[in-house]
Amino acid sequence: MCGIFGYTGKKEAQSLILEGLKRLEYRGYDSSGVAVQNGTHHIFFRKTHGKIRNLEEILKSHPLKGTTAIGHTRWATHGTPNTLNAHPHLDNEGEIAVVHNGIIENYSELKETLKKQGVRFRSQTDTEVVVHLVAKYYRGDLETAVRQALRRIRGTYAIAVISSREPGRIVAAKLDSPLVVGLGREENFLASDVSALLEHTKRVIYVENHEMIVLSKNSVRITDLAGKPIDRKPVTIDWDVSRAKKGGFPHYMLKEIFEQPGIVTAILRERVNASVIRFDELKVAPAEFKKIKKITIIACGTAYHAGLTGKYILESIAGIPVNVDTSSEFRYRNPKVDSGTLVITVSQSGETADTLAGLREAKAKGALTMAICNVLGSSMSREAKGVIYTHAGPEIAVASTKAYTAQLSIFYLFALYLAGIYRTLPSASIRRFLKELFRVPSLMQKVLDDYKRDAKDWESNAHDFNRRYHAQLEKYFSEASHERKRSPNGFFMYLGRGINFPNALEGALKLKEISYIPAEGYAAGEMKHGPIALIDENPWVICLAPRSSIYEKMISNMQEIKARGGILIPIVTEGDKEIHRLKPLYSIEVPRVEEIFSPLVTVIPLQLIAYCVAREFGEDIDQPRNLAKSVTVE
Ligand code: AGP
């Protein structure tokens, strides 16, 4: 939920720290700070609430000199987002500074004990106990002091610590929050993820749980918490900085929406050769999958919607029973999983706390575990028995798009892979499915090309919604309060059936998380069981109605909505004439695609609707309020 960055080397650190924090700002952005060793007996620091540009302004007028520094951008978990609670936190002597990503679960008791020993606390944060513990144990060696402090701590952390008494040295440690070291020439870096390192180096070392790092400009030493040295080979990252930039798009989210056809193509080409499907990194033998009787998929948010779609895919192609659970429910309900269950965790970041905890619960119960992750070396990818990387590249926008279609792509390939192992499909059928799947990226591209061609229409439709939205609100507030029956209903309803039902949930999530407008997704068949009561002139009803085995059912749903004055925006297959009888406000056409692969295509208009509405409302599309890219706390 926060981003940390550290530098020690031959250059002035201040601007490097700022640039690194900007790359990490999507992890949390309610306050930030930097601490520098400058050769005196004190650590110098600057910190402030708000986005990193506020810190940048302060440093312009009050710069910090020094070549060893640590920085932090925060998403508050304990203590309101303000300057006092911003990191770094210093000990009472001002000689030691700490930045931290994670949660110290026993901070209250530690704080009380330290206060009784005369320690003065300045902030409301859990993190501050760390720096006072380090100061308490400091006897001339920072590494030892950090090690002793960590023995007192329960919780999760990625921390970086500097002391004015040990110039040129950073001590860092990790438990359940991501931390990676970047290796340079006469300089070394550390960060919460690789996107902050790529402009300096592509050679990185992933820090594992219960490990400590001592960084100086010419050396990186890894040990376990007992001090035993660890030899970890660096990996070379294949992302370059340009890919982590916006590439000319106004927002990361739009860039990432447009990246999707290319990413799905790359996934298919990388994983399929002459109809043979390969998962080189998986490290689970086919014989282990043969012992599986059922699959449980756990995930959160958009990844959960990918898991729901994965259920339809796996059951229809691989013929194996699949349950899907939100991670936060799975982990606390004493789930019935065992050695006959394959538990798949789906996670873009590979760090989501609830999903990571669910993975651990599944392992403790003897289940075979597999992670579908986007971030190489993430906690989930290293703790699951097997991993399949989506290789979607860095997803910077908080609203997940390309990770979603990459996850779906992996589910298609994995289902076909299992169908080969379980022999639920003849090879000829597997080949036919793969042939059709390889066509899909071009159909996704067609939707994006149409959007570019019709961008003005999309913009005017979003403006039209904005006008209607405010007209409804004005009408409501113009009525005398005793005349008001109820507030205008939720403004968007998303309906889908069958394999497109999860996309209805995903479309609603995309809209609400970046435009803050009420939106709900439903299985269309559920309308009669309550939701249809919401229909009047208010909600805009987005209906996923591509040509499919349940197309007629969707038409009936839309007739019922129309009959009650609802506003229809159907997503239909190109050339659909029947839809016009329903006089939709407007319809969005997608190319014809085999029903089972249709979610890869129908999700794109949903992503674009959310994007256009949020842009029309002037919201912060890439960093929506209250959210962070990776929810690494419960
Ligand atoms: C999706 O747009 C949201 N940002 C959020 O629901 C996200 O999908 C969820 O937090 C899971 O994240 P993960 O894929 O990194 O585990």
Side-chain angles (χ1 to χ4, degrees):
M1 302 291 266
C2 302
I4 70 173
F5 190 85
Y7 174 80
T8 182
K10 52 189 187 265
K11 301 170 192 151
E12 276 302 309
Q14 174 177 300
S15 57
L16 295 168
I17 297 288
L18 271 175
E19 285 315 306
L21 292 180
K22 284 177 186 171
R23 293 245 184 283
L24 296 170
E25 194 166 24
Y26 66 90
R27 299 178 59 84
Y29 36 83
D30 56 42
S31 56
S32 63
V34 59
V36 178
Q37 289 176 348
N38 72 349
T40 69
H41 269 317
H42 287 92
I43 294 289
F44 284 70
F45 70 94
R46 305 282 185 267
K47 59 183 187 178
T48 181
H49 70 283
K51 293 201 171 172
I52 290 168
R53 58 172 172 265
N54 297 356
L55 179 64
E56 196 163 24
E57 285 310 306
I58 291 172
L59 287 168
K60 273 184 193 150
S61 51
H62 300 80
L64 291 172
K65 293 284 179 211
T67 59
T68 297
I70 52 178
H72 184 274
T73 183
R74 184 171 183 241
W75 191 84
T77 54
H78 293 73
T80 47
N82 59 25
T83 301
L84 212 53
N85 290 329
H87 301 205
H89 292 285
L90 277 70
D91 68 321
N92 290 158
E93 308 311 317
E95 294 179 354
I96 299 172
V98 168
V99 292
H100 166 232
N101 174 27
I103 287 188
I104 310 298
E105 291 175 357
N106 61 333
Y107 86 96
S108 301
E109 59 200 79
L110 290 170
K111 187 167 183 174
E112 285 320 304
T113 305
L114 288 162
K115 275 179 161 178
K116 287 187 184 115
Q117 295 166 359
V119 171
R120 293 186 315 283
F121 279 81
R122 300 183 186 87
S123 79
Q124 307 155 312
T125 66
D126 53 331
T127 299
E128 196 180 348
V129 298
V130 177
V131 72
H132 294 311
L133 280 174
V134 174
K136 171 186 169 65
Y137 292 117
Y138 190 76
R139 298 287 181 278
D141 177 43
L142 187 61
E143 180 185 354
T144 305
V146 171
R147 205 184 301 284
Q148 288 173 307
L150 293 179
R151 288 198 187 104
R152 300 282 304 279
I153 280 167
R154 272 200 332 277
T156 62
Y157 53 78
I159 57 167
V161 191
I162 56 175
S163 162
S164 60
R165 294 172 183 271
E166 301 192 15
R169 175 177 283 196
I170 301 176
V171 176
K174 178 211 188 297
L175 177 57
D176 289 343
S177 283
L179 187 64
V180 60
V181 171
L183 305 175
R185 292 184 194 293
E186 289 185 81
E187 59 184 10
N188 286 305
F189 307 78
L190 60 83
S192 297
D193 73 34
V194 288
S195 60
L197 300 172
L198 289 177
E199 62 186 296
H200 306 295
T201 178
K202 294 189 178 185
R203 291 178 63 241
V204 302
I205 292 174
Y206 285 97
V207 185
E208 307 257 1
N209 277 346
H210 305 296
E211 291 181 350
M212 281 181 65
I213 305 287
V214 179
L215 224 60
S216 62
K217 75 175 185 178
N218 290 314
S219 87
V220 175
R221 193 158 44 81
I222 308 176
T223 67
D224 64 15
L225 279 188
K228 182 166 157 285
I230 292 170
D231 178 23
R232 170 83 32 77
K233 294 277 175 287
V235 296
T236 301
I237 296 297
D238 62 0
W239 297 347
D240 58 28
V241 175
S242 62
R243 199 162 171 206
K245 286 203 169 80
K246 294 181 190 173
F249 285 89
H251 299 98
Y252 283 115
M253 182 180 177
L254 192 60
K255 169 184 168 284
E256 289 156 6
I257 289 172
F258 272 77
E259 279 184 339
Q260 294 176 110
I263 287 165
V264 174
T265 300
I267 289 169
L268 299 179
R269 285 195 188 138
E270 178 198 358
R271 302 256 182 217
V272 182
N273 184 359
S275 297
V276 175
I277 300 167
R278 293 179 24 241
F279 299 113
D280 297 340
E281 74 275 31
L282 180 50
K283 296 191 184 60
V284 177
E288 293 182 82
F289 286 122
K290 281 184 179 161
K291 294 179 205 148
I292 295 305
K293 300 285 176 287
K294 68 174 182 177
I295 293 176
T296 293
I297 300 170
I298 63 172
C300 300
T302 289
Y304 169 67
H305 300 150
L308 285 173
T309 309
K311 171 186 172 70
Y312 288 86
I313 296 168
L314 285 161
E315 289 193 344
S316 58
I317 290 179
I320 185 165
V322 178
N323 301 313
V324 187
D325 239 329
T326 54
S327 310
S328 52
E329 287 302 307
F330 176 86
R331 64 178 292 195
Y332 292 117
R333 66 172 174 77
N334 188 20
K336 295 293 166 268
V337 296
D338 56 23
S339 58
T341 311
L342 167 62
V343 173
I344 300 177
T345 61
V346 185
S347 175
Q348 188 286 130
S349 62
E351 301 296 347
T352 296
D354 284 324
T355 308
L356 193 52
L359 169 61
R360 290 169 182 162
E361 176 78 359
K363 284 170 74 173
K365 288 177 177 281
L368 175 60
T369 56
M370 183 181 100
I372 296 178
C373 276
N374 190 40
V375 178
L376 190 143
S378 57
S379 301
M380 258 176 252
S381 67
R382 285 178 284 115
E383 294 192 27
K385 173 76 167 50
V387 62
I388 298 179
Y389 286 113
T390 47
H391 291 167
E395 187 176 66
I396 308 297
V398 166
S400 186
T401 51
K402 63 177 184 174
Y404 180 69
T405 47
Q407 289 156 359
L408 298 191
S409 305
I410 294 298
F411 271 121
Y412 287 116
L413 291 177
F414 186 62
L416 290 164
Y417 174 77
L418 289 182
I421 293 172
Y422 300 147
R423 301 202 184 296
T424 43
L425 283 178
S427 305
S429 301
I430 292 175
R431 281 197 298 277
R432 191 191 67 74
F433 269 120
L434 284 172
K435 186 166 178 281
E436 182 60 27
L437 184 52
F438 268 83
R439 283 186 60 238
V440 172
S442 62
L443 308 179
M444 298 166 74
Q445 187 59 51
K446 175 77 170 52
V447 178
L448 294 170
D449 293 345
D450 290 352
Y451 167 78
K452 281 195 289 193
R453 181 197 64 208
D454 306 335
K456 284 285 169 237
D457 295 344
W458 281 78
E459 197 173 337
S460 65
N461 292 334
H463 186 63
D464 179 40
F465 168 70
N466 190 348
R467 186 181 54 73
R468 289 169 183 254
Y469 177 84
H470 287 96
Q472 296 284 354
L473 293 180
E474 275 155 31
K475 175 169 170 286
Y476 172 69
F477 287 110
S478 65
E479 291 165 347
S481 54
H482 65 275
E483 287 170 355
R484 288 177 203 156
K485 299 194 195 69
R486 63 188 176 290
S487 67
N489 293 330
F491 276 82
F492 275 84
M493 186 183 275
Y494 291 75
L495 301 181
R497 281 179 181 261
I499 197 164
N500 274 293
F501 158 53
N503 264 1
L505 305 179
E506 175 58 12
L509 175 64
K510 284 283 102 36
L511 185 91
K512 69 182 113 174
E513 73 174 315
I514 64 173
S515 70
Y516 320 141
I517 290 169
E520 284 311 323
Y522 297 102
E526 278 297 287
M527 281 297 278
K528 286 194 184 66
H529 303 285
I532 200 162
L534 283 173
I535 299 299
D536 56 18
E537 71 287 358
N538 265 331
W540 286 28
V541 186
I542 314 268
C543 296
L544 291 163
R547 280 286 169 203
S548 71
S549 56
I550 40 94
Y551 172 76
E552 296 306 331
K553 300 285 181 204
M554 284 305 296
I555 292 291
S556 310
N557 282 122
M558 288 190 271
Q559 284 163 342
E560 290 156 11
I561 290 161
K562 195 69 191 168
R564 290 162 179 80
I567 298 174
L568 286 174
I569 303 174
I571 293 171
V572 294
T573 300
E574 276 170 350
D576 184 319
K577 298 282 181 280
E578 198 165 343
I579 200 70
H580 299 302
R581 282 193 301 105
L582 290 170
K583 296 189 176 47
L585 181 65
Y586 46 85
S587 57
I588 299 169
E589 294 194 342
V590 297
R592 179 179 285 276
V593 55
E594 191 153 342
E595 181 171 352
I596 189 158
F597 299 121
S598 58
L600 279 171
V601 176
T602 60
V603 72
I604 294 182
L606 304 179
Q607 296 166 342
L608 292 169
I609 288 169
Y611 176 79
C612 290
V613 171
R615 183 183 56 188
E616 168 71 20
F617 279 64
E619 302 302 356
D620 189 343
I621 288 172
D622 288 330
Q623 298 179 349
R625 67 186 182 193
N626 307 340
L627 297 179
K629 183 59 186 171
S630 174
V631 184
T632 56
V633 292
E634 296 180 10

